[in-house]
Amino acid sequence: MKKSLWIAFTLLLLTLMLVGCGRDKEPAAEDLGEALPADALAVASERGLSPDDIRAALMTYTPSGILDEYIMFASGGHSGNVIAIGMPSMRILKNIAVFTPESWQGYGYGSTDSETVLNQGNVNGVEIRTGDTHHPALSETGGEYDGDWLFINDKASARIAVIDLRDYETKQIVKNPLLINNHGSTFVMPNTEYVLEESQYATPLGWEFAPISEYKEKYRGLMTAWKFDRETGRIDPELSFGIEIPPYWQDLCDAGKLVSEGWAFCNSFNTELATGGVEQGNPPFEAGVSQRDVDYLHIFNINKAAEVAATEGKYEVMNGMRVIRMATAVEEGILYLAPEPKSPHGADVTPDGKYLVVAGKLDPHVTIYGFDKIQKAIAAGNATPDEFGVPVLPFDEVMVAQVELGLGPLHTQFDGEGNAYTSLFLDSALTKWSLGGDDPAGYKLLEKTPVQYNVGHIAAAEGDTVSPDGKYLVALNKWAVDRFVSVGPLLPQNLQLLDISGDGPMKVIYDMPMGIGEPHYAQIIKADKIESWNTYPEVGWDPLTQSPSEFATKAGEESIVRDGNNVTVNMTAIRSHLTPEHVPLKQGDHVTWHITNLETAHDATHGFQLGGYNISLSIEPGETTSFEFDAVNSGTYTYYCTEFCSALHLEMMGYMFVEP
Ligand code: K7E
Ligand code: CUA
C-alpha cells in the first residue's frame, strides 16, 4: 500500500475504532480525530504496524484503571493450577493455586487451611503435591454461568477441586476412590447438581493390581457424578455415585442442556482394547489404539442413574462409593454407545442442547448427532451390543450430518448466531462453520483462519452456556516456536485472542504467552457476574469455612500461651507491626501459631515468612490464618511481613528465639 494511502486508511480506522470504544463520556468522532496525537501515526510507522495491527491494538489495549469485560479461567496444565485472565486485555489477574503449593498465596507452606485442602488429595497416605489440570467448569444456574464456583480436574491422580469465586481460593479437593486418572472432567449439569468426572486410561476400579493380560475382564472405566451442595459449597461424596463402563479410553464429555438436560456425552478411543507392551512384540500404543475406523460415543442418562443409585439393591458400594455396575446401567437404560469416526477428541453440545458435535482427530470431519435422533434410536431398539453388552445405536439413526473441516479437528465452541468453531490441530487453524439444525445441507464450512501453532482447545465468550456471546474466541495453542523472544528450550504456551464479532473474517488480535503449564481448556465469563469480596466480611475470618474463626485475635489480646511443650501464639498484623515481636520457645516445643490481619482496607494484605521453618502465609484483610510446627532446631530466627505494605514495612518483623 502506498504510504499516503496507508496513513489515510489508518487515520480513518483509528477514528472509527475510537468511536466504537465504550467509555462513559464519549468524545464526538470529530474531536477524537483532532485529539489524536500528532505522533500516533509516526509511532505506528516506526514500529511497522499494519492497519490490521492498529485495529487489533485498539480492540485489546486497555488503559490503566479500565476494567476488563470478561474473565477467562484457564487451566494451568501440569502447573496444577488455574489462571484468571482479563479479556480482551489478556492481562493475568491471578494464579489460583489448586493442586500444587504456591508461595505467594501461602498455599501449601504451613497454613492449616491450605494443608487441610491439599491433604484431602493425598492418595493412600502418599502426599500428592503435583497436578495436571485440564478442564475448568464454572457453576451454572439454568445453563448460564452464575459466577459462584469453579471446578477443575487433576488428570494425573483423578481428583476434583472446588474453588470459591468470592475469594478465588481452593476450598476442597476430592480424590476419586476408584480411579487413578481422569480426563472427561470437570463438566457440570445445567444447575450444577453434579460435577462429572470420567476416567481416561482404564485400570481395575480402585486401581488394584491386576496383570495386563486380564485387561478385558478386570480393567474398567468409570463415569462419576459428584454431588455438589451449594449451601456448604462442597462436593458431598456420600451423595455421589459412579457408573461402571467398558475399558475403552473415555476422553472428553459435555453435559446436555435444555432438551438434553440430565444427559451427558463423552467421546472415547482405544475401543481396540490395545494394551501396549511393545517390548513384548505388541503394537505400540499409538498404533494399537487407532486401528479401528470407529470408536464409541458414550451416552449417559445421568438423571436415571441418580435414581438407580438411590435404590437399595441396584448399586454396589466400592471403596465407599456407590457404583452402578455395567450390567445394571445397560438394563436400566443409563448407558448407550454410538459409533464415532476414528479416535475422536471432544464432544460438545450445541447451545440449544439439540445436537452434539464430535471431532474426528484422525478424521477430517466433525460428526453432528441429534439428541432427538438418539432418543428415537433408543426407542426403536435396533441397537446391537458391543463385547461388554452395551447397546450400540446404529450410526445412521443418530447422525445428522458430517462436515469436512481439515486435518486434526479437536474441539468445538459456539456463538449465539448459529455458528460453530472447531480447532484443527494438524492444520494449525480455526474453522467457522454453520449449524444446520435437522437439515444436513445447512452444515457448511464458512471460513478457516491460521493460528500459531497446533491449537488444542478453543474457548468462546460464555461458550458453554445456553446463550454464548460470540465476540471473542481464544485459541489455546500448544506450540509457540517463533512467536516470542527466545527464553531457552522450554517455551511458553501461546494463547491467541480472536475477534469473531460480526460477519467479517475471524482475526487474531492478541498473542499471550503463558509461562506456566499447558492450559488445556478455559471458560470465559462476563466479569460482572462474579461478586468477589474486596476484604473478608469480618475481621477474624476463616476462609476455609467462610465464617468467623475461633482463633481470631483482637488488637490488645495478643498472647503467647505455654502448656508444657505446647505453645500457642496469638498474633495480630496491622501496618506496620506484628504483635508480639518476640516469640520465646524451647527446642522441642510444638507450636501452634495464629495470625489475624486486623486490616479492613482494600488490598491491605500482609504476608508472613518464618525463615528456617518453610513457612509462608498470605493473610488477606480480615483473615485469620494458622500454622503448626515442631521447633526442632534451636537458634535465633526472624519472621517478617512479605508484602511491602507501608513505608515502615521493613520494620514489620519479629524474633523467634528457640532456646536449646
Ligand atoms: Cu488437552 Cu481437553 Cu485434556 Cu484437548 S485436552 S487439547
Ligand atoms: Cu505488612 Cu509489610
Side-chain angles (χ1 to χ4, degrees):
M1 208 185 293
K2 283 236 178 74
K3 196 167 180 192
S4 54
L5 237 166
W6 185 95
I7 289 179
F9 178 80
T10 307
L11 192 58
L12 181 73
L13 199 79
L14 279 168
T15 312
L16 287 175
M17 290 300 304
L18 286 166
V19 174
C21 270
R23 295 285 197 89
D24 284 348
K25 276 190 218 139
E26 283 189 9
E30 319 79 76
D31 297 349
L32 270 177
E34 276 163 29
L36 270 181
D39 61 350
L41 290 178
V43 171
S45 160
E46 225 167 77
R47 298 193 66 208
L49 302 180
S50 72
D52 267 355
D53 295 335
I54 293 168
R55 183 176 177 278
L58 292 173
M59 287 195 74
T60 55
Y61 174 68
T62 307
S64 180
I66 301 295
L67 307 184
D68 278 300
E69 186 182 0
Y70 290 95
I71 297 181
M72 168 162 67
F73 292 97
S75 73
H78 44 301
S79 293
N81 54 358
V82 171
I83 312 294
I85 299 162
M87 270 180 56
S89 75
M90 303 305 276
R91 298 179 289 200
I92 289 184
L93 303 177
K94 196 169 208 172
N95 162 19
I96 307 171
V98 184
F99 296 108
T100 46
E102 214 283 330
S103 185
W104 164 59
Q105 288 160 74
Y107 187 77
Y109 291 95
S111 78
T112 309
D113 282 5
S114 67
E115 300 295 344
T116 300
V117 172
L118 282 164
N119 285 335
Q120 292 168 350
N122 291 348
V123 177
N124 295 344
V126 177
E127 235 184 45
I128 310 291
R129 292 295 181 269
T130 182
D132 184 18
T133 56
H134 278 234
H135 307 105
L138 288 152
S139 59
E140 293 181 17
T141 301
E144 301 282 5
Y145 302 148
D146 54 38
D148 292 339
W149 307 93
L150 182 74
F151 308 95
I152 186 108
N153 69 313
D154 164 34
K155 170 170 165 167
S157 297
R159 300 176 300 167
I160 302 291
V162 180
I163 297 161
D164 188 336
L165 291 178
R166 285 174 294 184
D167 61 359
Y168 281 57
E169 285 190 2
T170 304
K171 302 299 176 189
Q172 184 186 24
I173 293 176
V174 287
K175 168 75 198 96
N176 195 308
L178 297 171
L179 300 180
I180 198 62
N181 69 79
N182 68 29
H183 191 251
S185 62
T186 49
F187 299 90
V188 300
M189 314 271 292
N191 287 300
T192 324
E193 305 93 324
Y194 291 100
V195 182
L196 303 178
E197 178 195 20
E198 202 190 33
S199 51
Q200 180 140 73
Y201 310 119
T203 64
L205 292 183
W207 66 99
E208 309 281 331
F209 170 77
I212 195 83
S213 57
E214 296 174 8
Y215 188 85
K216 201 180 152 185
E217 300 74 43
K218 296 210 171 144
Y219 286 50
R220 289 293 178 266
L222 190 84
M223 163 62 92
T224 311
W226 291 105
K227 182 76 189 166
F228 183 64
D229 182 344
R230 274 179 187 271
E231 288 301 306
T232 60
R234 297 291 187 273
I235 282 171
D236 185 347
E238 297 268 300
L239 298 177
S240 306
F241 63 89
I243 307 167
E244 183 192 23
I245 49 180
Y248 308 139
W249 289 355
Q250 289 78 20
D251 189 29
L252 214 50
C253 308
D254 202 359
K257 52 186 90 155
L258 300 174
V259 285
S260 55
E261 180 163 351
W263 291 70
F265 312 92
C266 308
N267 77 290
S268 72
F269 58 114
N270 195 18
T271 52
E272 293 83 353
L273 305 180
T275 53
V278 70
E279 52 289 351
Q280 280 105 42
N282 296 323
F285 271 123
E286 68 270 31
V289 162
S290 25
Q291 280 162 6
R292 295 182 65 207
D293 284 336
V294 293
D295 289 287
Y296 294 130
L297 171 68
H298 290 46
I299 302 161
F300 296 92
N301 187 339
I302 299 288
N303 282 352
K304 177 78 195 175
E307 260 175 58
V308 170
T311 311
E312 202 75 43
K314 294 214 169 176
Y315 60 85
E316 283 176 29
V317 177
M318 302 171 72
N319 289 1
M321 174 171 270
R322 286 178 295 154
V323 176
I324 302 171
R325 299 309 292 251
M326 202 152 53
T328 311
V330 171
E331 212 176 276
E332 298 284 342
I334 290 167
L335 175 63
Y336 299 91
L337 304 174
E340 53 184 10
K342 223 171 164 58
S343 298
H345 188 51
D348 295 283
V349 177
T350 54
D352 60 11
K354 289 182 178 169
Y355 305 93
L356 68 130
V357 178
V358 171
K361 195 166 83 182
L362 298 182
D363 176 280
H365 298 87
V366 284
T367 303
I368 297 96
Y369 298 80
F371 181 70
D372 190 41
K373 286 193 151 207
I374 289 171
Q375 294 308 313
K376 284 186 179 139
I378 291 172
N382 297 327
T384 45
D386 76 338
E387 54 189 304
F388 297 92
V390 183
V392 183
L393 305 172
F395 186 61
D396 294 345
E397 291 186 23
V398 293
M399 188 267 289
V400 174
Q402 289 191 297
V403 196
E404 184 168 345
L405 298 180
L407 298 182
L410 294 186
H411 298 290
T412 300
Q413 288 276 277
F414 306 95
D415 62 19
E417 314 276 319
N419 300 305
Y421 301 79
T422 301
S423 53
L424 301 178
F425 179 81
L426 295 173
D427 275 347
S428 289
L430 297 190
T431 58
K432 176 179 179 180
W433 49 281
S434 60
L435 294 168
D438 288 333
D439 174 18
Y443 292 85
K444 283 199 194 96
L445 174 61
L446 301 173
E447 57 162 300
K448 215 165 169 171
T449 297
V451 290
Q452 290 79 28
Y453 302 93
N454 295 85
V455 54
H457 272 278
I458 50 180
E462 300 259 327
D464 288 312
T465 67
V466 294
S467 62
D469 284 4
K471 212 163 172 176
Y472 298 114
L473 187 69
V474 175
L476 295 100
N477 304 325
K478 307 295 187 187
W479 290 44
V481 193
D482 56 0
R483 292 295 102 174
F484 306 109
V485 167
S486 173
V487 287
L490 177 61
L491 271 58
Q493 315 289 325
N494 185 13
L495 269 54
Q496 287 185 307
L497 177 67
L498 287 97
D499 168 22
I500 59 164
S501 60
D503 291 330
M506 300 183 272
K507 282 205 177 109
V508 173
I509 54 173
Y510 201 83
D511 270 29
M512 180 209 173
M514 193 143 123
I516 56 150
E518 181 178 328
H520 292 264
Y521 190 42
Q523 282 193 336
I524 300 165
I525 181 175
K526 262 290 184 103
D528 60 15
K529 281 188 176 178
I530 302 177
E531 290 174 12
S532 59
W533 290 332
N534 286 340
T535 61
Y536 281 111
E538 280 178 40
V539 170
W541 194 259
D542 177 358
L544 188 58
T545 58
Q546 299 288 39
S547 63
S549 167
E550 57 178 309
F551 304 115
T553 305
K554 291 198 175 88
E557 295 179 5
E558 299 86 352
S559 63
I560 299 172
V561 184
R562 174 174 287 279
D563 175 11
N565 278 345
N566 292 312
V567 177
T568 305
V569 180
N570 296 301
M571 177 175 269
T572 59
I574 193 163
R575 284 163 288 175
S576 299
H577 52 263
L578 292 159
T579 312
E581 293 182 339
H582 291 173
V583 176
L585 300 173
K586 294 205 171 68
Q587 191 170 9
D589 279 347
H590 180 76
V591 185
T592 307
W593 193 316
H594 310 290
I595 309 178
T596 298
N597 180 348
L598 300 174
E599 306 274 0
T600 53
H602 197 183
D603 206 6
T605 294
H606 297 292
F608 180 91
Q609 291 212 355
L610 173 58
Y613 276 94
N614 202 38
I615 302 293
S616 176
L617 314 174
S618 173
I619 320 154
E620 279 87 69
E623 178 174 351
T624 294
T625 197
S626 306
F627 62 97
E628 283 182 54
F629 68 102
D630 290 314
V632 288
N633 294 319
S634 64
T636 302
Y637 295 87
T638 53
Y639 52 83
Y640 64 93
C641 170
T642 46
E643 294 256 349
F644 209 112
C645 53
S646 70
L648 294 172
H649 149 82
L650 291 178
E651 289 76 1
M652 197 167 172
M653 67 82 67
Y655 284 102
M656 178 179 89
F657 309 97
V658 185
E659 203 182 316

